[in-house]
Amino acid sequence: MPKSSKLSILATVSAVCLGLALSLSAGSAEAASKCIKGDRKAPFTLGWANIYSVPTWMKQTQGTIEQEVDELKKQGLVSKLVVTDAQGNANTQIQQIQSMIDSNIDAILVDAGSATALNRVIADACAKGIAVINFDSLIDGEDLTAKIDTDQQEWGKQAAEWMVSTLGGKGNIIVLNGPAGISVSDDRRKGAEPVLKAHPDIKILAETNTAYNVAPAQEAVTNLLFNNPQIDGVLSFGGALSAGALLAMDRQGRDFVPITGENYRQFLELWKQHDLKGWATMQPNWLGALAAYAAVQALSGKDVPAFVKVPLPVIDNASLGGYLDRASTFPADGYIYSTYDQALFEKLLAQK
Amino acid sequence: MSIEAAGDRSLYWRVQLGRNHGARGLFAVVVLFLLLYAYLFPGLLTVEGFSKFSQTWFPLALTAMAQALLMLTGGISLAIGATVSLGAVIAAVTMTQTFGVAGGIAAVLATGLAVGALSGFVVVRLRLPAIIVTLASSFIIGGAALLVLPRPGGAIPPWFSTLLAGDTPVALGLLALIVLAWKLYLATPLGLTIYAAGENPVGAFRSGAPLDAARISAFAISGALSTLAGLFIAAQTGSGDPVIGQAFTLNSIAAAVLGGVGFLGGQGSMRGALAGSLLLAVMINVMFFLGLPPVAQYIAQGLIIVGAVALPHLAGRWRSA
């Protein structure tokens, strides 16, 4: 056999072997979570790319992350948590995530300041084998390990349905939204739309967009009250907005009407104090802790679903007391969230 | 070369060096921070690392120029952020549609010039304070951005994103071209009038300088630089967001003031504003690699800004004492 043909056989054999090896590794990569290459070993360094650390909701969220990280440190799975604060600026958040990539961090937890702005930098992180877990405010892209969230449209739908049935399908309402151009706020409103359309006797007198803060909401609702003598319900898509609305009504001596909202402590206390008809759900702060847990699971080779849908816990007049019993362990301007542990996280990550 | 020309040339350099005078301390601080960053993150010295960093700086550099240009004429703009957002959403809705990339760039550029010129016209011709006019226009422009794209979305062709914000320093090259264009513009009658309009408007008017035209042009160019920053952000992120520019209003003012550009006009230089924006950008990365927690970052950021502004003043006082 001439030397050249021997070489070509050798080349063919090695090519086949290489192909087999590649297809095998591709097979095992499919079993693991997205972005994970299996080259990172515990203990891991986690990065928490926060859009804005000042709001109380974010401080509480960071608290659940830190608590979970402490737990994971004890288990020898995490060595360090790096925290950044983009101060509300999506461009700064891009820059900080880039720095996390540059420092070759193992996982990035991210609450996105913009639904679209982070797509490319997060895809870059994913390509480098970094576990990226996006929770609460989501990005539109798919190049990350997992997204964790409640269903914001479902939130809007349930709130609107409760309002419609409480008012018996007829009445004048005002609608309080979060800031314009923010996808969370937009999605909650969108979820309510078909329900409101189906009930034309529910008339929307006015609609506002304000930041998720008590003061601007109170101011906006005060104006709406002056202009609308007859209001039968307040469809609010944020807890601080609901608290602001109740304060505005109280200040003007108006009768309280059925109101929706969120697990914001001040709202729940006003709800109890004035014995209202109310409905609230929540974006649990422990989504942050769940994100940290999911990142470590993915890095350890477990299969984490691309989308982890967290059910919306509902607070109504029956369960309100239970939440308020625990109120003192939460900040006065904070959110009273439902309890959580790693067993709950296991269950949520196991869902398909 | 005639004697006059040689004299002109030495005068030119004297003026240039004089303009650097106030910013020397800042330049030193910026270089120090860049060296520190390169020490903490050696990857900065690779083409990819350097490109990525220059891309995070680029939009702030453009908006700092946009703001500094107006401040030099004695104006100011509170609409820079909204204009950046408008540029981003226009790019994101036009480029993958019928307009194509070239058409999209033209649309973004035309919008920036028009929006800026319109504000400039109201300020200059109706003699209204720039701060009020641009505050009002920030609401109008921000609203327009939300009309164009009510929620984040749209798209930029991936090849265009990769071209501008991939692993090559294209953005830095563009910045060099824009700075060169600024140099050339300064040599035109309109450009020459910019400093005069801020420093001594009455004198400039009496000597027949095209004061109104120069100021309206400054607003128009400033608008175009802002929408171009938005275009770049859209390319960098692959899509548009109607509120992405918000933070640029304050940051552009901070960068310009940090760079020695005065609120009263006629004082400071574009290179100072660029250095100021570079400091703001590099500071964030340095603090990350130093591992400072967020609360410490807030404090450190404030101290660095105050320090960078105070250093040249203190140095000047020591020299004169």
Side-chain angles (χ1 to χ4, degrees):
Chain A
M1 197 185 276
K3 209 176 177 186
S4 63
S5 62
K6 240 192 217 164
L7 266 178
S8 75
I9 289 174
L10 199 67
T12 316
V13 169
S14 55
V16 169
C17 287
L18 191 66
L20 271 174
L22 277 177
S23 63
L24 275 177
S25 67
S28 61
E30 262 167 25
S33 305
K34 222 164 157 185
C35 307
I36 305 299
K37 291 182 175 151
D39 52 350
R40 297 173 183 271
K41 298 279 165 275
F44 306 110
T45 302
L46 308 189
W48 156 225
N50 194 353
I51 177 62
Y52 196 29
S53 70
V54 170
T56 314
W57 193 89
M58 284 299 189
K59 286 200 189 101
Q60 287 185 274
T61 297
Q62 182 160 332
T64 72
I65 293 174
E66 281 166 355
Q67 205 180 353
E68 185 61 30
V69 163
D70 283 343
E71 194 59 38
L72 293 164
K73 273 182 184 166
K74 275 184 217 149
Q75 297 169 11
L77 292 169
V78 170
S79 57
K80 201 173 138 198
L81 174 70
V82 176
V83 182
T84 60
D85 174 3
Q87 301 177 13
N89 183 346
N91 296 291
T92 305
Q93 196 174 27
I94 295 174
Q95 196 176 346
Q96 287 169 335
I97 291 175
Q98 183 63 48
S99 287
M100 287 187 183
I101 298 173
D102 290 342
S103 71
N104 196 27
I105 210 159
D106 295 309
I108 299 174
L109 319 176
V110 54
D111 193 328
S114 158
T116 53
L118 304 177
N119 279 354
R120 278 174 61 94
V121 74
I122 282 183
D124 276 358
C126 181
K128 298 212 158 77
I130 298 170
V132 185
I133 314 283
N134 178 203
F135 70 96
D136 179 41
S137 193
L138 300 184
I139 68 156
D140 282 344
E142 300 300 326
D143 288 329
L144 40 71
T145 311
K147 295 181 189 179
I148 298 177
D149 213 352
T150 56
D151 185 338
Q152 307 296 334
Q153 294 206 24
E154 179 66 23
W155 170 315
K157 178 170 164 275
Q158 288 189 22
E161 279 170 350
W162 180 85
M163 183 56 71
V164 168
S165 76
T166 305
L167 295 184
K170 193 170 154 45
N172 296 331
I173 62 167
I174 55 173
V175 178
L176 309 182
N177 294 300
I182 306 287
S183 56
V184 170
S185 150
D186 206 38
D187 283 342
R188 289 177 191 170
R189 181 63 184 85
K190 208 188 259 174
E193 188 59 24
V195 181
L196 296 171
K197 267 232 169 84
H199 295 87
D201 287 341
I202 298 283
K203 218 178 115 202
I204 300 175
L205 295 175
E207 188 151 5
T208 63
N209 284 95
T210 57
Y212 292 114
N213 272 326
V214 177
Q218 184 178 351
E219 195 186 322
V221 173
T222 300
N223 290 331
L224 293 184
L225 291 178
F226 277 126
N227 298 332
N228 299 288
Q230 178 62 38
I231 294 173
D232 303 314
V234 177
L235 184 57
S236 155
F237 298 114
L241 308 180
S242 314
L246 290 178
L247 290 174
M249 294 168 119
D250 198 19
R251 181 68 59 85
Q252 285 192 33
R254 293 277 287 252
D255 287 340
F256 292 105
V257 295
I259 184 168
T260 63
E262 194 182 2
N263 60 331
Y264 188 66
R265 180 175 163 183
Q266 193 183 2
F267 168 56
L268 300 188
E269 285 174 343
L270 287 166
W271 171 358
K272 172 93 179 169
Q273 184 191 332
H274 297 295
D275 197 22
L276 311 165
K277 271 188 199 163
W279 177 96
T281 183
M282 73 179 74
Q283 185 75 340
N285 293 85
W286 47 257
L287 293 185
L290 174 56
Y293 184 77
V296 170
Q297 294 298 304
L299 286 166
S300 310
K302 305 242 174 62
D303 185 8
V304 171
F307 188 85
V308 182
K309 189 171 156 181
V310 175
L312 287 168
V314 170
I315 308 173
D316 53 18
N317 281 49
S319 60
L320 177 64
Y323 280 90
L324 283 173
D325 286 344
R326 295 185 293 125
S328 59
T329 54
F330 292 88
D333 62 340
Y335 295 78
I336 305 175
Y337 47 79
S338 52
T339 51
Y340 67 97
D341 55 18
Q342 288 194 351
L344 170 70
F345 293 170
E346 284 290 350
K347 216 171 82 192
L348 289 170
L349 291 182
Q351 66 180 346
K352 284 287 163 199
Chain B
M1 193 192 288
S2 70
I3 294 164
E4 283 91 352
D8 279 345
R9 186 143 305 174
S10 73
L11 176 66
Y12 173 82
W13 285 114
R14 236 183 301 146
V15 169
Q16 290 296 328
L17 286 175
R19 284 190 188 147
N20 279 346
H21 197 80
R24 254 184 240 156
L26 175 68
F27 292 151
V29 172
V30 170
V31 170
L32 205 74
F33 268 79
L34 282 174
L35 289 175
L36 182 59
Y37 181 31
Y39 169 75
L40 293 168
F41 171 53
L44 177 66
L45 304 174
T46 64
V47 175
E48 189 192 339
F50 181 69
S51 304
K52 288 287 178 205
F53 171 67
S54 60
Q55 285 157 19
T56 60
W57 172 43
F58 186 67
L60 184 58
L62 289 191
T63 50
M65 288 184 81
Q67 191 65 266
L69 174 54
L70 292 182
M71 287 172 69
L72 287 175
T73 66
I76 195 166
S77 175
L78 299 184
I80 297 263
T83 315
V84 170
S85 299
L86 185 62
V89 295
I90 288 179
V93 296
T94 54
M95 284 196 169
T96 49
Q97 309 290 323
T98 41
F99 279 49
V101 167
I105 295 173
V108 166
L109 204 57
T111 307
L113 286 170
V115 160
L118 209 62
S119 307
F121 186 83
V122 173
V123 170
V124 173
R125 284 294 158 83
L126 304 185
R127 316 234 168 259
L128 295 174
I131 196 162
I132 299 299
V133 173
T134 56
L135 176 65
S137 67
S138 77
F139 295 126
I140 300 169
I141 297 165
L146 277 168
L147 279 180
V148 174
L149 205 61
R151 56 175 295 157
I156 300 291
W159 67 265
F160 188 62
S161 284
T162 309
L163 173 72
L164 281 186
D167 293 336
T168 52
V170 170
L172 197 68
L174 288 177
L175 186 62
L177 284 181
I178 289 169
V179 171
L180 194 68
W182 163 247
K183 283 264 158 216
L184 294 177
Y185 183 70
L186 269 188
T188 65
L190 288 182
L192 277 170
T193 311
I194 286 174
Y195 276 91
E199 206 164 18
N200 185 1
V202 177
F205 179 73
R206 285 189 181 144
S207 17
L211 212 54
D212 284 5
R215 291 179 66 198
I216 294 174
S217 317
F219 270 95
I221 295 169
S222 168
L225 285 171
S226 306
T227 48
L228 284 179
L231 167 79
F232 178 78
I233 292 170
Q236 188 185 27
T237 62
S239 54
D241 181 326
V243 296
I244 191 119
Q246 268 167 5
F248 282 102
T249 301
L250 270 184
N251 283 343
S252 66
I253 296 174
V257 173
L258 201 50
V261 180
F263 276 108
L264 299 175
Q267 190 188 57
S269 64
M270 209 47 107
R271 73 195 69 152
L274 282 171
S277 66
L278 182 54
L279 179 61
L280 290 181
V282 74
M283 195 165 69
I284 291 169
N285 292 21
V286 166
M287 288 191 297
F288 174 85
F289 279 95
L290 284 176
L292 296 183
V295 177
Q297 289 191 16
Y298 274 98
I299 296 168
Q301 207 171 329
L303 290 177
I304 293 166
I305 290 174
V306 170
V309 172
L311 259 183
H313 281 274
L314 292 176
R317 211 173 293 168
W318 284 327
R319 262 196 303 274
S320 61

